[in-house]
Amino acid sequence: QVHLVQSGAEVKNPGASLKVSCKASGYSFSDYYIHWVRQAPGQGLEWVGWVNPDSGGTRYAEKFQGRVTMTRDTSTKTAYMELSRLRSDDTAVYYCARSHVVVTLDVWGQGTLVTVSS
Amino acid sequence: DIQMTQSPSSLSASVGDRVTITCQASQGISNYLNWYQQKPGTAPKLLIYDASNLETGVPSRFSGSGSGTDFTFTISSLQPEDIGTYYCQEYDKSPFTFGPGTKVDLK
């Protein structure tokens, strides 16, 4: 079975950095992009960016450029999203999801709740 | 960025009703549109891709149509397990915007 399993909930202070992990199983990790999508409390879905597990290449939404870094470790089939200079409006559930060539997200992780508060 | 709108923002319907949701893109996106279902406290689930293709394992009561700027999502006979929020998403251009969602509940 195909699964994406994310790391646990985090509480961070404003200005801090965050690193969330997403471990893949049940498929060839290198064959699918890993995307990160976030959802603020009671709000809709917002695409953050993707990492290509094969090449390590990345693409980020312009809104997050300069604050986000997406990486992967092919030996452990794990993707990571790091977000720096956290603000209170970064409080959200962060999901990882996979896609093949186009951005059709067919498998999702369970989500990681990130709370930014002093 | 491409803007996505959905209507209605919420609806109440009875079991067995036909439910229709529309999604409009601010510019033409061909058929580069997906539909997702999200139940409270869970991750979204892909239902329809390429505007009209049913994802494997998704019941046939769900369907999608449209191209260009105007799209429709239909539940032919609403079931209790269909309660949740439905999102369209364009994948023509970054940042691959999602619509604001349509919340469906039972009357």
Side-chain angles (χ1 to χ4, degrees), chain B residues 36-105:
Chain B
Y36 301 87
Q37 174 196 62
Q38 186 178 34
K39 298 183 180 182
T42 70
K45 174 186 175 182
L46 176 67
L47 298 181
I48 302 285
Y49 63 95
D50 296 348
S52 60
N53 291 317
L54 196 66
E55 174 70 348
T56 302
V58 173
S60 59
R61 64 180 179 273
F62 297 101
S63 65
S65 64
S67 67
T69 60
D70 296 301
F71 301 87
T72 300
F73 173 83
T74 300
I75 308 173
S76 61
S77 176
L78 186 70
Q79 299 302 303
E81 61 267 31
D82 300 337
I83 298 317
T85 301
Y86 292 82
Y87 295 93
C88 60
Q89 176 233 343
E90 63 84 13
Y91 59 91
D92 184 41
K93 290 183 176 62
S94 175
F96 311 117
T97 308
F98 291 84
T102 296
K103 187 174 182 180
V104 175
D105 62 23

Side-chain angles (χ1 to χ4, degrees), chain A residues 39 47 95 103-105 108-109, chain B residues 34 36 38 42-44 87 89 95:
Chain A
Q39 186 170 38
W47 182 79
Y95 294 101
V103 185
T104 293
L105 306 174
W108 293 65
Chain B
N34 300 318
Y36 301 87
Q38 186 178 34
T42 70
Y87 295 93
Q89 176 233 343

Side-chain angles (χ1 to χ4, degrees), chain A:
Chain A
Q1 274 182 323
V2 176
H3 288 297
L4 296 173
V5 178
Q6 299 182 225
S7 49
E10 305 249 20
V11 179
K12 295 289 185 180
N13 289 324
S17 292
L18 161 78
K19 192 169 186 177
V20 182
S21 68
C22 172
K23 184 171 176 61
S25 63
Y27 72 97
S28 176
F29 182 61
S30 296
D31 288 350
Y32 291 80
Y33 290 67
I34 294 291
H35 300 255
W36 293 89
V37 175
R38 76 177 188 180
Q39 186 170 38
Q43 302 301 308
L45 301 164
E46 180 176 35
W47 182 79
V48 179
W50 57 246
V51 59
N52 179 338
D54 187 32
S55 66
T58 55
R59 185 172 188 180
Y60 307 134
E62 193 171 335
K63 173 178 179 176
F64 300 99
Q65 290 275 3
R67 282 208 305 143
V68 70
T69 304
M70 294 180 187
T71 58
R72 92 289 189 223
D73 181 343
T74 55
S75 67
T76 60
K77 299 182 181 181
T78 303
Y80 300 91
M81 182 198 68
E82 192 162 9
L83 190 61
S84 64
R85 305 192 300 278
L86 289 168
R87 309 185 292 250
S88 57
D89 62 358
D90 291 318
T91 294
V93 175
Y94 288 77
Y95 294 101
C96 63
R98 76 167 196 178
S99 79
H100 205 39
V101 177
V102 298
V103 185
T104 293
L105 306 174
D106 68 342
V107 177
W108 293 65
Q110 83 276 20
T112 296
L113 174 62
V114 173
T115 304
V116 182
S117 174
S118 54

